Amino acid sequence: MTRLRCAILDDYFNIALDVADWPKLSDRIDVTVFSHPFTSEQAAASALADFEIVCAMRERTAFPTSLFDSLPKLKLLLTSGMRNASIDMEAAKAKGVAIGGTQYSRDPTAPLTMGLILELTRGIGRENARMHAGEPWQTFAGVEIEGLTLGIVGLGKLGSKMAGIAKAFGMNVIAWSPNLTPEKCKAAGVGYATKEELFAKADIVTIHVVLSERSRGLVGAADLARMKPTAFLVNTARGPIVDEQALLEALQQRKIAGAGLDVFSVEPLPVAHPFRKLDNLVLTPHLGYATEDGLRIHYGQMVEAIDAWTKGGELPRKLA
């Protein structure tokens, strides 16, 4: 059997080879791990030119038509998750590239969202850093979230999970999204609000909609202008859903109390990005999905898919 080459992309944690049974494929597959992001599409095309199989992590490396055109040897593209907006599915189909995905056992993004809320309101990480640095005792008076109103943009599976966590903390919860109805809110045990009402009433706004052309820029300057000066914005969905320039200006001008971001329009976030200079902005490097448990599932199912595909079988989780 001709040996095939498999590239594992964007393994920032250097964990892929440790959490899945890649040796199971060693009789037919040579695996190469790329632990750093490609600097450009041209760099990706050059690095991946000789690979028949690519394992992508989320949307970290985009696969537009032009990249598929540059990779004539590519036959199988696997992605973590069961959708990936950065893959041109029509181009893959036209090139005869099979696309497969992986499942989640659960979604850890909602707990991270609450962590960002707690950091914004109680300064846990900030005060921890001060304590370790030997700085003076208490300097940060926090905000109690019990009784505050959480506004959820998007009440799907993740938004509903977030609503349950927030209610456990004693928060009032309201929700809005373009297709959300009062009946769906009632069934989920949360209040319905229009978009304008949500941004005006909420003490904390958290975003849980899927990135699409419809949701790109969904939260803009007008929405931020409606927020209370004491309110916070949290985004653990996708960076482009929020107008980042409008958010930057709102934070610089102290029009809102602060924000917590786990996602950005450009990832990794450039070192010189102005977000990194703001003291009212909590930043995490897209950790929402990134747990050892989840990565073990993703990489394990990638091994399973490659094993089946190289034996002539169907992909266990084929993307349309």
Side-chain angles (χ1 to χ4, degrees), residues 227-266:
M227 294 177 68
K228 303 173 186 178
T230 55
F232 301 96
L233 177 79
V234 176
N235 186 11
T236 56
R238 289 294 185 274
I241 295 170
V242 176
D243 182 332
E244 289 186 338
Q245 183 60 37
L247 177 59
L248 176 64
E249 292 172 4
L251 291 168
Q252 289 173 330
Q253 298 168 23
R254 307 282 175 172
K255 291 183 177 179
I256 62 175
L261 302 179
D262 186 48
V263 290
F264 310 92
S265 293
V266 176

PDB file of all heavy atoms in Angstrom, residues 227-266:
ATOM      1  N   MET A 227     -26.104  50.348  25.603  1.00  0.00           N
ATOM      2  CA  MET A 227     -25.742  49.684  26.853  1.00  0.00           C
ATOM      3  C   MET A 227     -25.514  50.700  27.974  1.00  0.00           C
ATOM      4  O   MET A 227     -25.088  51.835  27.733  1.00  0.00           O
ATOM      5  CB  MET A 227     -24.492  48.823  26.659  1.00  0.00           C
ATOM      6  CG  MET A 227     -24.706  47.636  25.724  1.00  0.00           C
ATOM      7  SD  MET A 227     -23.194  46.661  25.434  1.00  0.00           S
ATOM      8  CE  MET A 227     -22.933  45.952  27.066  1.00  0.00           C
ATOM      9  N   LYS A 228     -25.774  50.255  29.192  1.00  0.00           N
ATOM     10  CA  LYS A 228     -25.525  51.091  30.363  1.00  0.00           C
ATOM     11  C   LYS A 228     -24.021  51.339  30.506  1.00  0.00           C
ATOM     12  O   LYS A 228     -23.208  50.480  30.136  1.00  0.00           O
ATOM     13  CB  LYS A 228     -26.025  50.390  31.631  1.00  0.00           C
ATOM     14  CG  LYS A 228     -27.485  49.990  31.632  1.00  0.00           C
ATOM     15  CD  LYS A 228     -27.788  49.156  32.867  1.00  0.00           C
ATOM     16  CE  LYS A 228     -29.191  48.610  32.863  1.00  0.00           C
ATOM     17  NZ  LYS A 228     -29.455  47.752  34.056  1.00  0.00           N
ATOM     18  N   PRO A 229     -23.623  52.450  31.072  1.00  0.00           N
ATOM     19  CA  PRO A 229     -22.187  52.678  31.302  1.00  0.00           C
ATOM     20  C   PRO A 229     -21.592  51.699  32.307  1.00  0.00           C
ATOM     21  O   PRO A 229     -20.373  51.555  32.389  1.00  0.00           O
ATOM     22  CB  PRO A 229     -22.135  54.118  31.810  1.00  0.00           C
ATOM     23  CG  PRO A 229     -23.510  54.403  32.304  1.00  0.00           C
ATOM     24  CD  PRO A 229     -24.446  53.607  31.455  1.00  0.00           C
ATOM     25  N   THR A 230     -22.461  50.999  33.054  1.00  0.00           N
ATOM     26  CA  THR A 230     -22.010  50.003  34.032  1.00  0.00           C
ATOM     27  C   THR A 230     -22.056  48.580  33.485  1.00  0.00           C
ATOM     28  O   THR A 230     -21.752  47.627  34.204  1.00  0.00           O
ATOM     29  CB  THR A 230     -22.895  50.070  35.286  1.00  0.00           C
ATOM     30  OG1 THR A 230     -24.277  49.913  34.886  1.00  0.00           O
ATOM     31  CG2 THR A 230     -22.721  51.399  36.013  1.00  0.00           C
ATOM     32  N   ALA A 231     -22.438  48.437  32.225  1.00  0.00           N
ATOM     33  CA  ALA A 231     -22.670  47.111  31.658  1.00  0.00           C
ATOM     34  C   ALA A 231     -21.404  46.526  31.030  1.00  0.00           C
ATOM     35  O   ALA A 231     -20.467  47.241  30.677  1.00  0.00           O
ATOM     36  CB  ALA A 231     -23.782  47.178  30.614  1.00  0.00           C
ATOM     37  N   PHE A 232     -21.427  45.203  30.880  1.00  0.00           N
ATOM     38  CA  PHE A 232     -20.307  44.464  30.289  1.00  0.00           C
ATOM     39  C   PHE A 232     -20.798  43.675  29.072  1.00  0.00           C
ATOM     40  O   PHE A 232     -21.944  43.216  29.036  1.00  0.00           O
ATOM     41  CB  PHE A 232     -19.712  43.474  31.291  1.00  0.00           C
ATOM     42  CG  PHE A 232     -19.190  44.096  32.547  1.00  0.00           C
ATOM     43  CD1 PHE A 232     -19.973  44.161  33.694  1.00  0.00           C
ATOM     44  CD2 PHE A 232     -17.900  44.609  32.599  1.00  0.00           C
ATOM     45  CE1 PHE A 232     -19.488  44.721  34.869  1.00  0.00           C
ATOM     46  CE2 PHE A 232     -17.397  45.176  33.762  1.00  0.00           C
ATOM     47  CZ  PHE A 232     -18.198  45.233  34.898  1.00  0.00           C
ATOM     48  N   LEU A 233     -19.893  43.466  28.118  1.00  0.00           N
ATOM     49  CA  LEU A 233     -20.160  42.631  26.948  1.00  0.00           C
ATOM     50  C   LEU A 233     -19.202  41.451  26.968  1.00  0.00           C
ATOM     51  O   LEU A 233     -18.003  41.627  27.205  1.00  0.00           O
ATOM     52  CB  LEU A 233     -19.962  43.423  25.656  1.00  0.00           C
ATOM     53  CG  LEU A 233     -20.145  42.621  24.363  1.00  0.00           C
ATOM     54  CD1 LEU A 233     -21.633  42.449  24.055  1.00  0.00           C
ATOM     55  CD2 LEU A 233     -19.451  43.299  23.192  1.00  0.00           C
ATOM     56  N   VAL A 234     -19.721  40.253  26.693  1.00  0.00           N
ATOM     57  CA  VAL A 234     -18.891  39.048  26.636  1.00  0.00           C
ATOM     58  C   VAL A 234     -19.138  38.357  25.300  1.00  0.00           C
ATOM     59  O   VAL A 234     -20.290  38.148  24.905  1.00  0.00           O
ATOM     60  CB  VAL A 234     -19.211  38.086  27.804  1.00  0.00           C
ATOM     61  CG1 VAL A 234     -18.407  36.799  27.669  1.00  0.00           C
ATOM     62  CG2 VAL A 234     -18.927  38.755  29.144  1.00  0.00           C
ATOM     63  N   ASN A 235     -18.066  38.001  24.616  1.00  0.00           N
ATOM     64  CA  ASN A 235     -18.182  37.286  23.337  1.00  0.00           C
ATOM     65  C   ASN A 235     -17.301  36.055  23.347  1.00  0.00           C
ATOM     66  O   ASN A 235     -16.072  36.149  23.347  1.00  0.00           O
ATOM     67  CB  ASN A 235     -17.798  38.191  22.166  1.00  0.00           C
ATOM     68  CG  ASN A 235     -18.048  37.522  20.814  1.00  0.00           C
ATOM     69  OD1 ASN A 235     -18.681  36.473  20.737  1.00  0.00           O
ATOM     70  ND2 ASN A 235     -17.558  38.135  19.756  1.00  0.00           N
ATOM     71  N   THR A 236     -17.940  34.893  23.380  1.00  0.00           N
ATOM     72  CA  THR A 236     -17.223  33.613  23.258  1.00  0.00           C
ATOM     73  C   THR A 236     -17.700  32.858  22.022  1.00  0.00           C
ATOM     74  O   THR A 236     -17.457  31.654  21.906  1.00  0.00           O
ATOM     75  CB  THR A 236     -17.431  32.741  24.511  1.00  0.00           C
ATOM     76  OG1 THR A 236     -18.840  32.546  24.719  1.00  0.00           O
ATOM     77  CG2 THR A 236     -16.832  33.393  25.746  1.00  0.00           C
ATOM     78  N   ALA A 237     -18.390  33.555  21.109  1.00  0.00           N
ATOM     79  CA  ALA A 237     -18.925  32.921  19.906  1.00  0.00           C
ATOM     80  C   ALA A 237     -17.907  33.004  18.773  1.00  0.00           C
ATOM     81  O   ALA A 237     -17.101  32.100  18.593  1.00  0.00           O
ATOM     82  CB  ALA A 237     -20.250  33.570  19.517  1.00  0.00           C
ATOM     83  N   ARG A 238     -17.908  34.103  18.034  1.00  0.00           N
ATOM     84  CA  ARG A 238     -16.939  34.355  16.985  1.00  0.00           C
ATOM     85  C   ARG A 238     -16.680  35.858  16.919  1.00  0.00           C
ATOM     86  O   ARG A 238     -17.610  36.657  17.047  1.00  0.00           O
ATOM     87  CB  ARG A 238     -17.427  33.851  15.621  1.00  0.00           C
ATOM     88  CG  ARG A 238     -17.451  32.334  15.464  1.00  0.00           C
ATOM     89  CD  ARG A 238     -16.053  31.738  15.508  1.00  0.00           C
ATOM     90  NE  ARG A 238     -16.039  30.302  15.249  1.00  0.00           N
ATOM     91  CZ  ARG A 238     -16.217  29.376  16.173  1.00  0.00           C
ATOM     92  NH1 ARG A 238     -16.442  29.734  17.430  1.00  0.00           N
ATOM     93  NH2 ARG A 238     -16.169  28.095  15.849  1.00  0.00           N
ATOM     94  N   GLY A 239     -15.438  36.232  16.672  1.00  0.00           N
ATOM     95  CA  GLY A 239     -15.059  37.629  16.684  1.00  0.00           C
ATOM     96  C   GLY A 239     -15.844  38.518  15.745  1.00  0.00           C
ATOM     97  O   GLY A 239     -16.297  39.605  16.127  1.00  0.00           O
ATOM     98  N   PRO A 240     -16.045  38.113  14.472  1.00  0.00           N
ATOM     99  CA  PRO A 240     -16.704  39.000  13.516  1.00  0.00           C
ATOM    100  C   PRO A 240     -18.169  39.302  13.813  1.00  0.00           C
ATOM    101  O   PRO A 240     -18.769  40.146  13.150  1.00  0.00           O
ATOM    102  CB  PRO A 240     -16.560  38.240  12.187  1.00  0.00           C
ATOM    103  CG  PRO A 240     -15.378  37.344  12.378  1.00  0.00           C
ATOM    104  CD  PRO A 240     -15.455  36.927  13.817  1.00  0.00           C
ATOM    105  N   ILE A 241     -18.767  38.616  14.780  1.00  0.00           N
ATOM    106  CA  ILE A 241     -20.158  38.914  15.132  1.00  0.00           C
ATOM    107  C   ILE A 241     -20.264  40.312  15.736  1.00  0.00           C
ATOM    108  O   ILE A 241     -21.286  40.987  15.617  1.00  0.00           O
ATOM    109  CB  ILE A 241     -20.711  37.845  16.096  1.00  0.00           C
ATOM    110  CG1 ILE A 241     -20.763  36.491  15.382  1.00  0.00           C
ATOM    111  CG2 ILE A 241     -22.098  38.217  16.619  1.00  0.00           C
ATOM    112  CD1 ILE A 241     -21.071  35.313  16.287  1.00  0.00           C
ATOM    113  N   VAL A 242     -19.193  40.760  16.374  1.00  0.00           N
ATOM    114  CA  VAL A 242     -19.149  42.092  16.985  1.00  0.00           C
ATOM    115  C   VAL A 242     -18.298  43.016  16.118  1.00  0.00           C
ATOM    116  O   VAL A 242     -17.231  42.622  15.640  1.00  0.00           O
ATOM    117  CB  VAL A 242     -18.557  42.025  18.408  1.00  0.00           C
ATOM    118  CG1 VAL A 242     -18.421  43.421  19.015  1.00  0.00           C
ATOM    119  CG2 VAL A 242     -19.425  41.139  19.302  1.00  0.00           C
ATOM    120  N   ASP A 243     -18.767  44.234  15.925  1.00  0.00           N
ATOM    121  CA  ASP A 243     -17.965  45.257  15.257  1.00  0.00           C
ATOM    122  C   ASP A 243     -16.813  45.622  16.192  1.00  0.00           C
ATOM    123  O   ASP A 243     -16.991  46.365  17.157  1.00  0.00           O
ATOM    124  CB  ASP A 243     -18.833  46.479  14.956  1.00  0.00           C
ATOM    125  CG  ASP A 243     -18.086  47.579  14.206  1.00  0.00           C
ATOM    126  OD1 ASP A 243     -16.850  47.684  14.362  1.00  0.00           O
ATOM    127  OD2 ASP A 243     -18.741  48.352  13.498  1.00  0.00           O
ATOM    128  N   GLU A 244     -15.628  45.077  15.933  1.00  0.00           N
ATOM    129  CA  GLU A 244     -14.519  45.246  16.869  1.00  0.00           C
ATOM    130  C   GLU A 244     -14.054  46.689  16.984  1.00  0.00           C
ATOM    131  O   GLU A 244     -13.638  47.126  18.063  1.00  0.00           O
ATOM    132  CB  GLU A 244     -13.355  44.333  16.466  1.00  0.00           C
ATOM    133  CG  GLU A 244     -13.644  42.869  16.708  1.00  0.00           C
ATOM    134  CD  GLU A 244     -12.455  41.966  16.458  1.00  0.00           C
ATOM    135  OE1 GLU A 244     -11.532  42.377  15.722  1.00  0.00           O
ATOM    136  OE2 GLU A 244     -12.442  40.842  16.992  1.00  0.00           O
ATOM    137  N   GLN A 245     -14.119  47.437  15.904  1.00  0.00           N
ATOM    138  CA  GLN A 245     -13.709  48.846  15.974  1.00  0.00           C
ATOM    139  C   GLN A 245     -14.672  49.627  16.858  1.00  0.00           C
ATOM    140  O   GLN A 245     -14.247  50.458  17.669  1.00  0.00           O
ATOM    141  CB  GLN A 245     -13.650  49.462  14.573  1.00  0.00           C
ATOM    142  CG  GLN A 245     -13.169  50.907  14.548  1.00  0.00           C
ATOM    143  CD  GLN A 245     -11.765  51.076  15.121  1.00  0.00           C
ATOM    144  OE1 GLN A 245     -10.903  50.226  14.918  1.00  0.00           O
ATOM    145  NE2 GLN A 245     -11.541  52.166  15.840  1.00  0.00           N
ATOM    146  N   ALA A 246     -15.955  49.351  16.727  1.00  0.00           N
ATOM    147  CA  ALA A 246     -16.945  50.025  17.571  1.00  0.00           C
ATOM    148  C   ALA A 246     -16.752  49.645  19.037  1.00  0.00           C
ATOM    149  O   ALA A 246     -16.863  50.496  19.933  1.00  0.00           O
ATOM    150  CB  ALA A 246     -18.359  49.663  17.115  1.00  0.00           C
ATOM    151  N   LEU A 247     -16.442  48.375  19.293  1.00  0.00           N
ATOM    152  CA  LEU A 247     -16.202  47.938  20.668  1.00  0.00           C
ATOM    153  C   LEU A 247     -14.943  48.588  21.218  1.00  0.00           C
ATOM    154  O   LEU A 247     -14.924  49.039  22.377  1.00  0.00           O
ATOM    155  CB  LEU A 247     -16.077  46.412  20.724  1.00  0.00           C
ATOM    156  CG  LEU A 247     -15.758  45.826  22.097  1.00  0.00           C
ATOM    157  CD1 LEU A 247     -16.826  46.190  23.124  1.00  0.00           C
ATOM    158  CD2 LEU A 247     -15.589  44.311  22.010  1.00  0.00           C
ATOM    159  N   LEU A 248     -13.894  48.647  20.414  1.00  0.00           N
ATOM    160  CA  LEU A 248     -12.654  49.286  20.852  1.00  0.00           C
ATOM    161  C   LEU A 248     -12.921  50.731  21.275  1.00  0.00           C
ATOM    162  O   LEU A 248     -12.468  51.171  22.340  1.00  0.00           O
ATOM    163  CB  LEU A 248     -11.624  49.244  19.720  1.00  0.00           C
ATOM    164  CG  LEU A 248     -10.300  49.965  19.978  1.00  0.00           C
ATOM    165  CD1 LEU A 248      -9.547  49.312  21.123  1.00  0.00           C
ATOM    166  CD2 LEU A 248      -9.452  49.969  18.698  1.00  0.00           C
ATOM    167  N   GLU A 249     -13.659  51.464  20.470  1.00  0.00           N
ATOM    168  CA  GLU A 249     -13.943  52.856  20.784  1.00  0.00           C
ATOM    169  C   GLU A 249     -14.804  52.986  22.035  1.00  0.00           C
ATOM    170  O   GLU A 249     -14.575  53.877  22.876  1.00  0.00           O
ATOM    171  CB  GLU A 249     -14.630  53.521  19.589  1.00  0.00           C
ATOM    172  CG  GLU A 249     -13.718  53.664  18.381  1.00  0.00           C
ATOM    173  CD  GLU A 249     -14.434  54.150  17.139  1.00  0.00           C
ATOM    174  OE1 GLU A 249     -15.652  54.457  17.235  1.00  0.00           O
ATOM    175  OE2 GLU A 249     -13.791  54.224  16.066  1.00  0.00           O
ATOM    176  N   ALA A 250     -15.782  52.097  22.204  1.00  0.00           N
ATOM    177  CA  ALA A 250     -16.634  52.138  23.401  1.00  0.00           C
ATOM    178  C   ALA A 250     -15.823  51.886  24.658  1.00  0.00           C
ATOM    179  O   ALA A 250     -16.051  52.510  25.700  1.00  0.00           O
ATOM    180  CB  ALA A 250     -17.756  51.109  23.266  1.00  0.00           C
ATOM    181  N   LEU A 251     -14.860  50.974  24.576  1.00  0.00           N
ATOM    182  CA  LEU A 251     -14.021  50.673  25.737  1.00  0.00           C
ATOM    183  C   LEU A 251     -13.012  51.791  25.993  1.00  0.00           C
ATOM    184  O   LEU A 251     -12.790  52.176  27.150  1.00  0.00           O
ATOM    185  CB  LEU A 251     -13.283  49.348  25.507  1.00  0.00           C
ATOM    186  CG  LEU A 251     -14.165  48.093  25.498  1.00  0.00           C
ATOM    187  CD1 LEU A 251     -13.388  46.895  24.984  1.00  0.00           C
ATOM    188  CD2 LEU A 251     -14.741  47.809  26.876  1.00  0.00           C
ATOM    189  N   GLN A 252     -12.415  52.311  24.952  1.00  0.00           N
ATOM    190  CA  GLN A 252     -11.456  53.404  25.127  1.00  0.00           C
ATOM    191  C   GLN A 252     -12.106  54.643  25.738  1.00  0.00           C
ATOM    192  O   GLN A 252     -11.497  55.334  26.559  1.00  0.00           O
ATOM    193  CB  GLN A 252     -10.822  53.755  23.779  1.00  0.00           C
ATOM    194  CG  GLN A 252      -9.850  52.715  23.248  1.00  0.00           C
ATOM    195  CD  GLN A 252      -9.367  53.013  21.846  1.00  0.00           C
ATOM    196  OE1 GLN A 252     -10.089  53.620  21.046  1.00  0.00           O
ATOM    197  NE2 GLN A 252      -8.151  52.593  21.519  1.00  0.00           N
ATOM    198  N   GLN A 253     -13.342  54.894  25.344  1.00  0.00           N
ATOM    199  CA  GLN A 253     -14.058  56.067  25.831  1.00  0.00           C
ATOM    200  C   GLN A 253     -14.863  55.788  27.099  1.00  0.00           C
ATOM    201  O   GLN A 253     -15.591  56.652  27.571  1.00  0.00           O
ATOM    202  CB  GLN A 253     -14.974  56.603  24.723  1.00  0.00           C
ATOM    203  CG  GLN A 253     -14.218  57.055  23.481  1.00  0.00           C
ATOM    204  CD  GLN A 253     -15.126  57.312  22.297  1.00  0.00           C
ATOM    205  OE1 GLN A 253     -16.316  57.575  22.456  1.00  0.00           O
ATOM    206  NE2 GLN A 253     -14.578  57.231  21.084  1.00  0.00           N
ATOM    207  N   ARG A 254     -14.746  54.575  27.632  1.00  0.00           N
ATOM    208  CA  ARG A 254     -15.421  54.168  28.867  1.00  0.00           C
ATOM    209  C   ARG A 254     -16.935  54.310  28.770  1.00  0.00           C
ATOM    210  O   ARG A 254     -17.612  54.645  29.751  1.00  0.00           O
ATOM    211  CB  ARG A 254     -14.904  54.984  30.064  1.00  0.00           C
ATOM    212  CG  ARG A 254     -13.386  54.960  30.227  1.00  0.00           C
ATOM    213  CD  ARG A 254     -12.923  53.676  30.853  1.00  0.00           C
ATOM    214  NE  ARG A 254     -11.463  53.604  30.903  1.00  0.00           N
ATOM    215  CZ  ARG A 254     -10.777  52.660  31.543  1.00  0.00           C
ATOM    216  NH1 ARG A 254     -11.421  51.713  32.190  1.00  0.00           N
ATOM    217  NH2 ARG A 254      -9.470  52.650  31.523  1.00  0.00           N
ATOM    218  N   LYS A 255     -17.461  54.057  27.578  1.00  0.00           N
ATOM    219  CA  LYS A 255     -18.910  54.135  27.409  1.00  0.00           C
ATOM    220  C   LYS A 255     -19.611  52.930  28.011  1.00  0.00           C
ATOM    221  O   LYS A 255     -20.800  52.986  28.326  1.00  0.00           O
ATOM    222  CB  LYS A 255     -19.247  54.270  25.920  1.00  0.00           C
ATOM    223  CG  LYS A 255     -18.828  55.612  25.333  1.00  0.00           C
ATOM    224  CD  LYS A 255     -19.238  55.727  23.871  1.00  0.00           C
ATOM    225  CE  LYS A 255     -18.880  57.091  23.310  1.00  0.00           C
ATOM    226  NZ  LYS A 255     -19.252  57.211  21.873  1.00  0.00           N
ATOM    227  N   ILE A 256     -18.893  51.814  28.120  1.00  0.00           N
ATOM    228  CA  ILE A 256     -19.367  50.657  28.873  1.00  0.00           C
ATOM    229  C   ILE A 256     -18.283  50.300  29.886  1.00  0.00           C
ATOM    230  O   ILE A 256     -17.137  50.738  29.767  1.00  0.00           O
ATOM    231  CB  ILE A 256     -19.697  49.454  27.975  1.00  0.00           C
ATOM    232  CG1 ILE A 256     -18.457  48.956  27.226  1.00  0.00           C
ATOM    233  CG2 ILE A 256     -20.815  49.806  27.000  1.00  0.00           C
ATOM    234  CD1 ILE A 256     -18.715  47.678  26.422  1.00  0.00           C
ATOM    235  N   ALA A 257     -18.663  49.493  30.885  1.00  0.00           N
ATOM    236  CA  ALA A 257     -17.719  49.214  31.973  1.00  0.00           C
ATOM    237  C   ALA A 257     -16.576  48.309  31.546  1.00  0.00           C
ATOM    238  O   ALA A 257     -15.461  48.413  32.065  1.00  0.00           O
ATOM    239  CB  ALA A 257     -18.457  48.603  33.156  1.00  0.00           C
ATOM    240  N   GLY A 258     -16.837  47.424  30.600  1.00  0.00           N
ATOM    241  CA  GLY A 258     -15.782  46.513  30.184  1.00  0.00           C
ATOM    242  C   GLY A 258     -16.308  45.418  29.288  1.00  0.00           C
ATOM    243  O   GLY A 258     -17.505  45.340  28.985  1.00  0.00           O
ATOM    244  N   ALA A 259     -15.403  44.539  28.865  1.00  0.00           N
ATOM    245  CA  ALA A 259     -15.781  43.429  28.003  1.00  0.00           C
ATOM    246  C   ALA A 259     -14.861  42.253  28.259  1.00  0.00           C
ATOM    247  O   ALA A 259     -13.737  42.407  28.758  1.00  0.00           O
ATOM    248  CB  ALA A 259     -15.710  43.832  26.520  1.00  0.00           C
ATOM    249  N   GLY A 260     -15.350  41.075  27.916  1.00  0.00           N
ATOM    250  CA  GLY A 260     -14.551  39.852  27.977  1.00  0.00           C
ATOM    251  C   GLY A 260     -14.615  39.166  26.628  1.00  0.00           C
ATOM    252  O   GLY A 260     -15.706  38.880  26.128  1.00  0.00           O
ATOM    253  N   LEU A 261     -13.475  38.939  26.014  1.00  0.00           N
ATOM    254  CA  LEU A 261     -13.428  38.356  24.678  1.00  0.00           C
ATOM    255  C   LEU A 261     -12.580  37.099  24.662  1.00  0.00           C
ATOM    256  O   LEU A 261     -11.447  37.094  25.129  1.00  0.00           O
ATOM    257  CB  LEU A 261     -12.839  39.362  23.680  1.00  0.00           C
ATOM    258  CG  LEU A 261     -13.542  40.708  23.523  1.00  0.00           C
ATOM    259  CD1 LEU A 261     -12.793  41.567  22.511  1.00  0.00           C
ATOM    260  CD2 LEU A 261     -14.997  40.529  23.113  1.00  0.00           C
ATOM    261  N   ASP A 262     -13.132  36.052  24.089  1.00  0.00           N
ATOM    262  CA  ASP A 262     -12.374  34.813  23.868  1.00  0.00           C
ATOM    263  C   ASP A 262     -12.133  34.590  22.382  1.00  0.00           C
ATOM    264  O   ASP A 262     -11.402  33.679  22.009  1.00  0.00           O
ATOM    265  CB  ASP A 262     -13.144  33.624  24.450  1.00  0.00           C
ATOM    266  CG  ASP A 262     -12.359  32.322  24.396  1.00  0.00           C
ATOM    267  OD1 ASP A 262     -11.174  32.335  24.806  1.00  0.00           O
ATOM    268  OD2 ASP A 262     -12.911  31.304  23.941  1.00  0.00           O
ATOM    269  N   VAL A 263     -12.748  35.426  21.545  1.00  0.00           N
ATOM    270  CA  VAL A 263     -12.685  35.241  20.091  1.00  0.00           C
ATOM    271  C   VAL A 263     -12.421  36.578  19.420  1.00  0.00           C
ATOM    272  O   VAL A 263     -12.813  37.639  19.915  1.00  0.00           O
ATOM    273  CB  VAL A 263     -13.994  34.626  19.560  1.00  0.00           C
ATOM    274  CG1 VAL A 263     -14.138  33.184  20.005  1.00  0.00           C
ATOM    275  CG2 VAL A 263     -15.202  35.438  20.029  1.00  0.00           C
ATOM    276  N   PHE A 264     -11.781  36.512  18.245  1.00  0.00           N
ATOM    277  CA  PHE A 264     -11.350  37.732  17.567  1.00  0.00           C
ATOM    278  C   PHE A 264     -11.457  37.537  16.056  1.00  0.00           C
ATOM    279  O   PHE A 264     -11.413  36.413  15.554  1.00  0.00           O
ATOM    280  CB  PHE A 264      -9.903  38.058  17.958  1.00  0.00           C
ATOM    281  CG  PHE A 264      -9.694  38.035  19.443  1.00  0.00           C
ATOM    282  CD1 PHE A 264      -9.283  36.865  20.077  1.00  0.00           C
ATOM    283  CD2 PHE A 264      -9.956  39.157  20.216  1.00  0.00           C
ATOM    284  CE1 PHE A 264      -9.124  36.813  21.459  1.00  0.00           C
ATOM    285  CE2 PHE A 264      -9.804  39.118  21.592  1.00  0.00           C
ATOM    286  CZ  PHE A 264      -9.385  37.944  22.216  1.00  0.00           C
ATOM    287  N   SER A 265     -11.567  38.644  15.338  1.00  0.00           N
ATOM    288  CA  SER A 265     -11.666  38.571  13.883  1.00  0.00           C
ATOM    289  C   SER A 265     -10.392  38.000  13.267  1.00  0.00           C
ATOM    290  O   SER A 265     -10.433  37.298  12.257  1.00  0.00           O
ATOM    291  CB  SER A 265     -11.953  39.961  13.297  1.00  0.00           C
ATOM    292  OG  SER A 265     -13.249  40.384  13.678  1.00  0.00           O
ATOM    293  N   VAL A 266      -9.240  38.313  13.863  1.00  0.00           N
ATOM    294  CA  VAL A 266      -7.967  37.747  13.437  1.00  0.00           C
ATOM    295  C   VAL A 266      -7.391  36.956  14.609  1.00  0.00           C
ATOM    296  O   VAL A 266      -7.199  37.503  15.692  1.00  0.00           O
ATOM    297  CB  VAL A 266      -6.973  38.849  13.014  1.00  0.00           C
ATOM    298  CG1 VAL A 266      -5.615  38.242  12.664  1.00  0.00           C
ATOM    299  CG2 VAL A 266      -7.525  39.651  11.836  1.00  0.00           C
TER     300      VAL A 266
END
